[in-house]
Amino acid sequence: MKSVEVKGLVLRVVDVGESDRMLTLYTDKLGLIGAMAKGAKKITNKKNTGTTEYCYSTFILVERNDKYYVNDAECIELFFGLRSSIDGIALGAYIMEVLSAVGTTDPEPDLLRLSLNALYALSEGVSTAEKVKASFEIRVASILGFMPDILSCHDCDEREGDFYFDVMAGVAECRECYRKKERRHETVSEEHESHIVYILSPGARTALNYSIYSPIERIFSYNLADEDMHLFSRASEAYLLHHLERGFRTLDFYNEVKR
Ligand SMILES: [Zn+2]
């Protein structure tokens, strides 16, 4: 029987019978996996805390018949502060759902680090939920291979002013090029393709680029005016959902809470 030590985040816990827990984990070495933790539901069990939802733990796993069993689980970080606000609870749940949806058995260390940083920032209250959410979303998309290219205008290389972000194409155009194209479409009778377009102010675009290229440890270290934050967060959410081709139940809940 082979045992392996991994570090991982507990995304989901399902109680099984009287005393067991079935876990969904996102781990550093095995990516997204399921693991059975025998006896972990019992408060007195030494695996109890380390197999709690939202806990980042060190696990000793053994593999038997293509299934993982948790031999030991020791909590490294519990992100306890998440529970102190409804925003934190809702956004934490969204982060977990995104990880479960995009994770595979191919480990993606940046995805894990990003998620841990996001949970930490929320839990410690060092960043607002809106900032954590927007930066998380665009960075997840980038890590998964959908990195947008919005450093300059896609057509003329302009770098200043308001931009029009084409979510489907992952590029942006300056005001002038966008208007030119609009006029062209008006004069051409043929039906033109549909586009999802979001306006980005200079501040919103800077924050977007920062969230794509910054070191993950510093990803939430920026300041942004409310108006720019609003444009950034709308674009970032739309971008991730479009490229993942799906919505999230937990995101609907978060948005409801925010309203
Ligand atoms: Zn241009």
Side-chain angles (χ1 to χ4, degrees):
M1 220 163 30
K2 208 170 55 178
S3 86
V4 56
E5 182 179 319
V6 300
K7 287 189 170 61
L9 192 57
V10 182
L11 305 183
R12 198 159 167 253
V13 178
V14 177
D15 290 340
V16 180
E18 289 282 288
S19 56
D20 303 341
R21 282 174 164 170
M22 183 65 207
L23 314 176
T24 305
L25 306 174
Y26 194 81
T27 68
D28 56 351
K29 292 180 191 159
L30 302 167
L32 184 74
I33 57 165
M36 175 63 92
K38 292 270 187 196
K41 201 178 143 190
K42 288 186 190 146
I43 285 271
T44 51
N45 189 283
K46 67 180 167 72
K47 291 178 274 189
N48 180 270
T49 310
T51 57
T52 308
E53 234 164 60
Y54 295 104
C55 200
Y56 179 57
S57 308
T58 304
F59 294 95
I60 307 290
L61 304 173
V62 288
E63 199 181 350
R64 249 194 328 262
N65 306 327
D66 292 333
K67 285 196 181 100
Y68 289 107
Y69 292 85
V70 178
N71 251 8
D72 198 14
E74 198 163 325
C75 181
I76 302 167
E77 181 101 54
L78 189 52
F79 305 111
F80 202 72
L82 273 182
R83 294 165 177 81
S84 61
S85 77
I86 184 89
D87 281 9
I89 293 169
L91 192 49
Y94 175 47
I95 291 168
M96 297 295 177
E97 198 185 357
V98 169
L99 268 183
S100 326
V102 306
T104 67
T105 50
D106 233 348
E108 186 55 81
D110 280 354
L111 204 54
L112 182 59
R113 279 202 302 143
L114 174 65
S115 305
L116 291 172
N117 273 305
L119 294 174
Y120 178 83
L122 284 173
S123 179
E124 298 297 307
V126 291
S127 303
T128 63
E130 197 178 21
K131 184 191 272 189
V132 170
K133 175 176 172 291
S135 294
F136 173 80
E137 287 171 325
I138 200 69
R139 190 64 174 248
V140 166
S142 303
I143 291 171
L144 294 175
F146 305 114
M147 188 190 284
D149 177 12
I150 52 169
L151 288 169
S152 65
C153 171
H154 182 58
D155 292 343
C156 76
D157 219 26
E158 173 65 58
R159 286 168 184 265
E160 310 289 328
D162 288 346
F163 274 65
Y164 292 75
F165 182 26
D166 182 334
V167 164
M168 294 160 82
V171 297
E173 284 167 338
C174 70
R175 188 178 284 271
E176 194 144 320
C177 290
Y178 185 77
R179 292 234 167 110
K180 247 188 255 167
K181 205 165 73 183
E182 284 288 278
R183 279 197 295 274
R184 211 157 55 228
H185 282 143
E186 277 161 22
T187 52
V188 177
S189 55
E190 70 198 50
E191 227 176 274
H192 55 86
E193 336 137 45
S194 63
H195 287 274
I196 308 171
V197 175
Y198 284 84
I199 292 189
L200 294 178
S201 58
R205 197 164 60 89
T206 302
L208 236 157
N209 279 323
Y210 180 81
S211 303
I212 294 169
Y213 299 105
S214 70
I216 288 179
E217 308 74 58
R218 299 184 37 79
I219 185 167
F220 308 119
S221 307
Y222 60 89
N223 290 311
L224 200 58
D226 287 352
E227 248 169 75
D228 295 327
M229 188 68 232
H230 182 64
L231 295 175
F232 169 32
S233 63
R234 281 178 53 206
S236 192
E237 178 180 304
Y239 191 79
L240 182 66
L241 298 189
H242 175 78
H243 289 278
L244 295 183
E245 299 180 352
R246 60 166 291 169
F248 292 92
R249 194 180 43 83
T250 49
L251 174 62
D252 297 341
F253 176 65
Y254 173 84
N255 284 330
E256 229 166 78
V257 166
K258 276 304 208 189
R259 234 179 279 131

